[in-house]
């Protein structure tokens, strides 16, 4: 009896942890929805980009996945609103990448806080 209760408790705790940490094996419906969304994104991008541009975007996704996701979202949004005339070439993708880079560019500033140190040389010599 105790073993069955312990096993049930373990299963319940395991499902809670999987849900908390976003484990994809936890909910098959969520996993299927993510897969459908990914297939839809890929089909839209296949219609919008030519072969060289898709290759460049996939290379970018390997190095900087956040930036690639932002560019994909931008392209999908443009396609949905009909702002793209035809397939985007590699040069067109480079221009879009430059736009996204300028928008997400982080400006770093360095500020020096100089401390005054009491030194005997700073005092007026009499």
């Amino acid at each position: 009896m105790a073993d069955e209760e312990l096993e049930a408790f373990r299963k319940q705790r395991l499902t809670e942890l999987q849900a908390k940490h976003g484990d994809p094996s936890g909910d098959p419906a969520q996993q299927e929805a993510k897969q459908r969304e990914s297939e839809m994104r890929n089909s839209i991008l296949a219609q919008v980009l030519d072969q060289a541009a898709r290759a460049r975007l996939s290379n970018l996704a390997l190095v900087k996945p956040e930036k690639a996701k932002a560019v994909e979202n931008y392209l999908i949004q443009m396609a949905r609103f009909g702002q793209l005339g035809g397939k985007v070439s590699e040069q067109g993708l480079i221009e879009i990448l430059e736009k996204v880079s300028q928008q997400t560019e982080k400006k770093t500033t360095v500020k020096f806080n100089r401390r005054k140190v009491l030194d005997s040389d700073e005092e007026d010599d009499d």
Side-chain angles (χ1 to χ4, degrees):
M1 184 93 157
D3 290 337
E4 293 172 0
E5 290 176 7
L6 183 62
E7 187 64 31
F9 179 74
R10 285 183 180 163
K11 286 182 181 180
Q12 179 185 6
R13 182 73 177 141
L14 179 64
T15 56
E16 288 174 4
L17 288 173
Q18 287 176 342
K20 183 178 179 183
H21 294 291
D23 191 13
S25 63
D27 189 11
Q30 265 185 343
Q31 189 176 13
E32 185 179 326
K34 285 182 182 180
Q35 185 178 3
R36 270 189 274 126
E37 180 186 348
S38 136
E39 288 174 2
M40 186 176 70
R41 290 175 67 88
N42 286 336
S43 69
I44 291 173
L45 290 173
Q47 293 172 1
V48 170
L49 297 173
D50 70 353
Q51 200 66 16
R54 289 226 2 123
R56 181 175 287 271
L57 188 59
S58 64
N59 288 340
L60 177 68
L62 292 174
V63 179
K64 295 185 178 183
E66 316 84 35
K67 187 178 266 191
K69 196 75 156 172
V71 170
E72 287 176 0
N73 291 337
Y74 182 73
L75 286 168
I76 290 171
Q77 182 181 9
M78 287 179 67
R80 284 187 180 156
F81 292 122
Q83 296 174 345
L84 296 175
K87 284 197 171 202
V88 177
S89 65
E90 187 175 7
Q91 190 60 37
L93 182 65
I94 291 172
E95 292 172 6
I96 292 171
L97 283 169
E98 288 173 354
K99 269 188 209 175
V100 170
S101 292
Q102 288 174 354
Q103 291 173 355
T104 61
E105 185 177 305
K106 294 180 182 176
K107 296 191 177 8
T108 56
T109 57
V110 178
K111 182 178 178 182
F112 291 100
N113 289 328
R114 300 196 186 272
R115 298 182 183 161
K116 290 189 177 185
V117 179
L118 294 177
D119 191 10
S120 63
D121 292 341
E122 291 179 8
E123 297 176 7
D124 292 332
D125 290 332
D126 289 323

